[in-house]
């Protein structure tokens, strides 16, 4: 992997949270990322928006060490996921659009199993129960098999796992697609909880309402880079939803 100048690299190694600098990636001859810059610090929620095929999931794949980027700097708490995928993954929790759980195990048993895989402390009363409590999974579901869980309940288990692991970075790919408004609201509250715990949250989404509700920054990915970034204003109307919607619905130039 080619890297930028050494001072940028040294700074990225020091940084907590997520650092992406001048990231480039091609699948075959198709250039998908063309100089992406993005930073998410501790206690910050970043919503990454962009049309279908813009490269959002590819960006997450680079952070997860699933792909080796053509060029650029990618760091998860100072770790390069392409060089040390296990090290990077130990610092993060990834919640895909469809959360896969062991269907025949209960919510508690799933947490116990995944925590043991992660080599994390898993004593039920002090780790698992508080995490399930924090995500407001109804108590009657704690000892129910997850095979019957709704999408919202599965996500709660996944976030509970992230909280129980005390990871500093949370990656989410379209977490609110298919959630009803109430579940979306609850989900947004959960992200806010993660923020108060100092987690750096990167959420890929098409859900502008959710982004406006919870994000500190919103970035538009187009033509392989962050074309525009907006910072939340202090105050109750933190983003101008109409302006964002007009921006998001603008026709994309084909790559
Ligand atoms: N493994 C792969 N091999 C070849 N091309 C790929 C691969 N993964 C993604 N692509 C292509 O790269 C581009 C970006 O894909 P990506 O999945 O990152 O987009 P996205 O922004 O997540 O889109 P969506 O909103 O539809 O989820 C698309 O053109 C896609 O077809
Ligand atoms: Mg995607």
């Amino acid at each position: 992997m080619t890297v930028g100048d050494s001072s940028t690299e040294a700074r990225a190694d020091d940084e907590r949270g997520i650092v992406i600098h001048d990231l480039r990636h091609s699948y075959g001859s198709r250039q998908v990322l063309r100089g992406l810059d993005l930073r998410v610090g501790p206690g910050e929620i970043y919503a990454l928006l962009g049309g279908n095929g813009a490269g959002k999931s590819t960006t997450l794949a680079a952070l997860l060490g699933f792909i080796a980027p053509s060029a650029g700097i990618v760091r998860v708490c100072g770790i390069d996921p392409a060089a040390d995928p296990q090290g990077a993954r130990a610092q993060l929790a990834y919640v895909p659009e469809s959360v896969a759980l062991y269907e025949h195990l209960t919510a508690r048993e799933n947490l116990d199993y995944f925590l043991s895989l992660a080599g994390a402390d898993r004593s039920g009363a002090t780790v698992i129960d508080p995490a399930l409590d924090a995500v407001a999974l109804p108590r009657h579901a704690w000892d129910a098999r997850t095979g019957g869980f709704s999408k919202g309940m599965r996500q709660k288990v996944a976030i509970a796992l992230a909280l129980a692991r005390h990871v500093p970075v949370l990656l989410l790919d379209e977490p609110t697609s298919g959630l009803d408004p109430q579940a979306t609201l609850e989900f947004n509250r959960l992200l806010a909880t993660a923020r108060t715990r100092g987690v750096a949250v990167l959420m890929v989404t098409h859900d502008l309402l959710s982004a406006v509700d919870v994000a500190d920054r919103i970035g538009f990915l187009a033509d392989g880079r962050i074309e525009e970034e907006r910072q939340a204003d202090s105050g109750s109307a933190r983003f101008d939803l109409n302006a964002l919607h007009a921006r998001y619905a603008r026709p994309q130039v084909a790559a």
Side-chain angles (χ1 to χ4, degrees), residues 219-223 225-229 247 250 252-253:
F220 292 94
L221 176 54
D223 204 17
R225 58 179 72 88
I226 300 292
E227 208 178 49
E228 194 176 331
E229 213 173 71
R247 169 64 187 78
R250 200 163 81 192
Q252 308 276 316
V253 181

Side-chain angles (χ1 to χ4, degrees), residues 56-57 173-174 204:
K56 304 180 297 297
S57 296
D173 202 350
E174 300 191 28
V204 161

Side-chain angles (χ1 to χ4, degrees), residues 19-90:
V19 176
I20 296 177
H21 177 63
D22 200 24
L23 175 60
R24 293 160 193 274
H25 190 67
S26 302
Y27 294 108
S29 60
R30 180 168 166 65
Q31 250 196 309
V32 174
L33 300 177
R34 305 165 180 230
L36 181 81
D37 285 304
L38 189 158
R39 279 168 194 259
V40 191
E44 192 174 34
I45 302 177
Y46 190 110
L48 181 61
L49 273 65
N52 293 128
K56 304 180 297 297
S57 296
T58 301
T59 305
L60 295 184
L63 289 163
L64 286 156
F66 291 160
I67 57 165
S70 321
I73 291 175
V74 179
R75 296 288 185 276
V76 176
C77 298
I79 300 169
D80 177 358
D84 181 7
Q86 296 306 328
R89 286 174 209 156

Side-chain angles (χ1 to χ4, degrees), residues 56-229:
K56 304 180 297 297
S57 296
T58 301
T59 305
L60 295 184
L63 289 163
L64 286 156
F66 291 160
I67 57 165
S70 321
I73 291 175
V74 179
R75 296 288 185 276
V76 176
C77 298
I79 300 169
D80 177 358
D84 181 7
Q86 296 306 328
R89 286 174 209 156
Q91 301 297 320
L92 61 81
Y94 168 53
V95 181
E97 192 181 344
S98 312
V99 172
L101 298 170
Y102 285 92
E103 311 267 292
H104 59 288
L105 298 181
T106 68
R108 265 202 179 114
E109 288 166 347
N110 265 283
L111 277 188
D112 185 67
Y113 179 67
F114 284 113
L115 286 172
S116 74
L117 284 188
D121 179 8
R122 50 194 241 265
S123 31
T126 55
V127 177
I128 294 179
D129 293 2
L132 289 172
D133 209 24
V135 299
L137 185 74
R139 282 197 180 246
H140 66 80
W142 291 16
D143 294 308
R145 288 182 183 202
T146 58
F149 278 18
S150 68
K151 170 167 175 159
M153 290 165 84
R154 288 167 178 280
Q155 281 184 330
K156 285 182 175 180
V157 175
I159 306 278
L161 177 62
L163 295 178
R165 282 179 57 212
H166 294 290
V167 284
V169 171
L170 183 56
L171 305 178
L172 307 134
D173 202 350
E174 300 191 28
T176 58
S177 76
L179 290 191
D180 68 36
Q182 178 60 32
T184 299
L185 205 69
E186 282 186 30
F187 183 80
N188 289 346
R189 284 202 200 109
L190 263 183
L191 290 193
T193 303
R195 168 170 50 205
T196 62
R197 295 185 181 199
V199 177
V201 180
L202 176 60
M203 167 172 73
V204 161
T205 189
H206 291 295
D207 184 346
L208 255 184
L209 277 176
S210 173
V212 164
D213 186 21
V214 79
D216 300 301
R217 268 186 300 148
I218 296 179
F220 292 94
L221 176 54
D223 204 17
R225 58 179 72 88
I226 300 292
E227 208 178 49
E228 194 176 331
E229 213 173 71

